[in-house]
C-alpha cells in the first residue's frame, strides 16, 4: 500500500516527506494506522549516525495508533484495537529466555538495521529499497508495520495520539525508576537531565512516593516544568555544584540517582552525591570511548552503579500500567507533549534539540 513517510537519505540530513510503498502484513505482523509518533533522542542518533542505521530510512519508534489489519497468526490484537508500539527482542537469546528482553543480545539487529530479522525489507519506492522496520515499526509515517511481539494493546478511552512516547522514552525514564531503582516511599531521588526521559523519571519518583525529588538541568525552563511534574528541589549546575547542593538538601546524600545525559562529568556528579547504600542508574547514550573513573572507595558502603535499557520493562505489562496511572492523573505524560504535523518534523527536531519542547509527537 502507498503511505506517507518521513525519509532520511543521508547522515545528518533533514527528514523529507515522501510517498513510499509498505508491504502487506505477514502472518505475525500488524498494520497500524499511526495517530501519533513521539520523537526520541534515538531517532536523532540514527539520523546523525551515532548508531549506524542504513540510509535511506524511515525512523520513528514511539508509534501509537489503531490496528488496521493483522496477519493470520496474530492473536494479541484485532482491527480497531488501540495499540502502542515498543521495541523488538529476539525472544530466544540468553537474556530473552530469562525474561529480560530489554537486554536482548540481538537488539541491534532487530531494532536498528532497517529490515526484518530475516533480512527482508518492509518498504520500497518504485525500484528503490527503503529501510524500514526501525524498532519493528518505522512510525514517522501514516501507517506502520509492526510485529505482534512489539505491539501492545491499550485502553481505548485515552486519546491514542498521546500514548506513543510510552513505547520508548517514557518507558525508559519511568521504568528506570519504578522497575530498576525501585525507590522506597520516603526516600530521595535525583534525576540528572530533565528532557522527556528525565521528566518521566521525575513523575515516576512521585508515583513511588519519593519525598525528595531533585531535578538537575542547565535549562531553567525545564527546571520550572520539573516542579510541575513532582520535583521538590531543582538545581542548575551553571549556578551551583550539583553534588554539593544535593548533599546540602539530603544531609547524607541521595538514596537514588539517575543519569539521563550519558556525559561522564555528570555521571561523576551523580555518583558523588550518593548516600551510603545508594544506587545510580545510567540510561543516557554515551560515546563509545567514554569511561567511568570512580574511586573504588566510593563504591564501598554499598553504593552501586548500573545501566538500564528501556526501563527494564516488559512493554506488555508496563505500558498498560502507565496508562492506568495516567488515567488516575498520577502520571500526566500528556502534559509533556507538543503536537506537530508530520510535515513539520524538521521543525519538531529543532524544537526538541533547543529544549523548546519536552516531547514532540508527530501526527501524519
Ligand atoms: Zn534476545
Ligand atoms: Zn527511544
Amino acid at each position: 500500500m502507498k503511505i506517507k513517510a518521513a525519509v532520511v537519505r543521508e547522515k545528518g540530513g533533514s527528514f523529507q516527506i515522501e510517498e513510499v510503498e509498505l508491504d502487506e502484513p505477514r502472518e505475525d505482523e500488524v498494520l497500524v494506522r499511526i495517530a501519533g509518533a513521539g520523537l526520541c533522542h534515538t531517532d536523532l542518533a540514527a539520523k546523525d549516525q551515532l548508531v549506524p542505521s542504513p540510509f535511506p530510512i524511515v525512523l520513528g519508534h514511539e508509534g501509537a495508533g489503531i490496528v488496521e489489519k493483522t496477519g493470520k497468526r496474530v492473536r494479541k490484537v484485532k482491527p480497531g484495537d488501540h495499540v502502542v508500539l515498543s521495541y523488538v527482542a529476539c525472544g530466544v537469546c540468553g537474556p530473552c529466555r530469562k525474561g529480560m528482553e530489554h537486554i536482548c543480545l540481538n537488539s541491534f539487529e532487530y531494532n536498528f538495521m532497517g529490515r526484518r530479522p530475516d533480512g527482508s525489507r518492509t518498504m520500497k519506492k518504485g525500484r528503490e529499497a527503503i529501510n524500514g522496520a526501525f524498532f519493528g515499526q518505522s512510525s514517522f509515517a501514516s501507517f506502520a508495520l509492526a510485529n505482534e511481539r512489539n505491539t501492545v494493546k491499550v485502553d481505548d478511552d485515552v486519546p491514542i495520539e498521546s500514548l506513543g512516547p510510552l513505547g520508548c522514552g517514557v518507558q525508559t525514564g519511568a521504568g528506570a525508576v519504578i522497575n530498576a531503582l525501585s525507590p522506597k516511599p520516603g526516600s530521595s531521588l535525583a534525576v540528572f537531565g530533565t528532557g522527556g526521559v528525565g521528566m518521566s523519571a521525575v513523575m515516576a519518583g512521585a508515583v513511588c512516593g519519593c519525598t525528595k525529588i531533585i531535578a538537575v538541568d542547565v535549562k531553567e525552563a525545564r527546571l520550572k516544568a520539573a516542579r510541575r511534574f513532582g520535583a521538590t528541589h531543582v538545581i542548575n549546575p551553571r549556578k551551583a555544584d550539583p553534588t554539593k547542593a544535593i548533599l546540602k538538601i539530603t544531609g547524607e546524600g541521595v538514596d537514588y540517582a539517575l543519569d539521563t545525559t550519558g556525559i561522564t562529568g555528570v555521571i561523576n556528579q551523580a555518583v558523588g552525591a550518593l548516600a551510603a547504600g545508594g544506587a545510580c542508574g545510567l540510561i543516557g547514550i554515551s560515546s563509545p570511548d567514554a569511561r567511568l573513573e570512580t574511586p573504588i572507595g566510593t563504591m564501598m558502603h554499598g553504593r552501586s552503579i548500573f545501566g538500564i535499557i528501556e526501563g527494564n520493562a516488559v512493554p506488555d505489562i508496563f505500558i498498560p500500567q502507565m496508562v492506568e496511572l495516567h488515567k488516575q492523573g498520577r502520571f500526566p505524560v500528556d502534559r509533556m507533549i507538543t503536537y506537530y504535523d508530520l510535515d513539520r518534523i524538521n521543525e519538531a527536531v529543532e524544537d526538541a534539540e533547543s529544549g523548546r519542547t519536552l516531547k514532540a509527537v508527530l501526527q501524519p
Side-chain angles (χ1 to χ4, degrees), residues 246-291:
I246 290 171
L247 292 174
K248 200 169 161 199
I249 293 164
T250 55
E252 294 181 349
V254 73
D255 299 315
Y256 305 94
L258 186 67
D259 173 70
T260 71
T261 71
I263 301 166
T264 320
V266 176
I267 294 169
N268 285 338
Q269 291 170 346
V271 174
L274 285 181
C280 177
L282 308 181
I283 61 178
I285 302 176
S286 297
S287 70
D289 53 353
R291 296 283 178 275

Side-chain angles (χ1 to χ4, degrees), residues 22-291:
L22 184 65
D23 240 9
E24 282 293 300
R26 290 186 175 178
E27 298 196 314
D28 58 349
E29 288 180 336
V30 180
L31 178 68
V32 179
R33 178 188 293 272
I34 296 297
L39 176 69
C40 177
H41 191 68
T42 304
D43 297 306
L44 304 179
K47 181 171 91 72
D48 300 333
Q49 292 289 280
L50 300 176
V51 286
S53 293
F55 295 121
I57 191 165
V58 176
L59 301 167
H61 65 288
E62 292 186 350
I66 297 173
V67 174
E68 182 86 1
K69 202 170 175 184
T70 58
K72 66 173 189 269
R73 274 176 38 219
V74 170
R75 288 178 302 162
K76 207 198 270 179
V77 293
K78 58 180 189 314
D81 283 350
H82 287 206
V83 294
V84 170
L85 305 177
S86 194
Y87 66 90
V88 200
C90 79
V92 296
C93 71
C96 278
R97 290 202 309 275
K98 290 176 192 154
M100 298 184 289
E101 298 202 342
H102 53 278
I103 48 171
C104 172
L105 297 178
N106 298 305
S107 150
F108 185 79
E109 280 296 303
Y110 275 61
N111 292 289
F112 289 99
M113 283 312 290
R115 53 195 79 176
R116 294 186 181 93
D118 71 0
S120 64
R121 288 202 175 76
T122 56
M123 289 182 187
K124 61 182 179 184
K125 185 176 183 179
R127 283 199 194 145
E128 184 191 23
I130 304 281
N131 294 289
F134 186 69
F135 277 70
Q137 47 183 296
S138 288
S139 46
F140 291 154
S142 51
F143 287 87
L145 201 51
N147 192 282
E148 177 178 29
R149 289 176 55 87
N150 69 316
T151 303
V152 178
K153 189 178 166 178
V154 292
D155 268 359
D156 55 12
D157 51 359
V158 182
I160 187 62
E161 64 274 13
S162 67
L163 297 184
L166 300 188
C168 182
V170 174
Q171 168 168 271
T172 294
V177 174
I178 295 173
N179 300 324
L181 295 173
S182 302
K184 291 193 176 70
S187 61
S188 54
L189 167 73
V191 178
F192 288 75
T194 50
V197 171
M199 209 64 85
S200 305
V202 166
M203 280 188 254
V207 165
C208 291
C210 293
T211 44
K212 286 196 176 88
I213 302 173
I214 306 161
V216 185
D217 205 299
V218 291
K219 295 196 170 93
E220 282 296 330
R222 284 191 181 164
L223 294 177
K224 217 169 141 193
R227 285 196 185 273
R228 294 200 300 274
F229 288 107
T232 57
H233 301 76
V234 299
I235 299 167
N236 186 336
R238 296 216 169 114
K239 294 182 183 162
D241 176 70
T243 305
K244 283 186 192 150
I246 290 171
L247 292 174
K248 200 169 161 199
I249 293 164
T250 55
E252 294 181 349
V254 73
D255 299 315
Y256 305 94
L258 186 67
D259 173 70
T260 71
T261 71
I263 301 166
T264 320
V266 176
I267 294 169
N268 285 338
Q269 291 170 346
V271 174
L274 285 181
C280 177
L282 308 181
I283 61 178
I285 302 176
S286 297
S287 70
D289 53 353
R291 296 283 178 275

